[in-house]
Amino acid sequence: MSSTPGQAKSPWGTTSAGFSAQTKINREDWGLKYNQALETGGVLVGKDINISIEVEIIKQPEAAKAEAAAA
């Protein structure tokens, strides 16, 4: 699995944090064994599943002010 994190402040006063992650699993390890043989040889569904996730969260200025007031 690989991931790429990052954080930045925007001109509008928000702070953004984000990451992306990728991994590969074998679907048969999870009990997904269905497949269909093709006339030309081979099978319809491969064993490897690629999973990609991209997330971005934004901390709003109001939340930062409320956090500062509570401290």
Side-chain angles (χ1 to χ4, degrees), residues 3-69:
S3 65
T4 307
Q7 184 173 338
K9 189 161 183 121
S10 77
W12 300 277
T14 59
T15 300
S16 297
F19 73 91
S20 62
Q22 299 83 32
T23 192
K24 186 187 298 189
I25 63 171
N26 182 329
R27 67 182 180 84
E28 291 182 347
D29 291 345
W30 298 87
L32 301 171
K33 299 190 185 280
Y34 167 81
N35 222 331
Q36 179 69 39
L38 300 175
E39 292 177 11
T40 58
V43 290
L44 181 65
V45 183
K47 291 183 181 184
D48 291 331
I49 304 294
N50 294 313
I51 300 172
S52 296
I53 300 170
E54 293 191 18
V55 176
E56 179 181 4
I57 56 175
I58 301 171
K59 184 175 183 181
Q60 299 297 320
E62 296 81 31
K65 290 177 187 175
E67 220 175 71

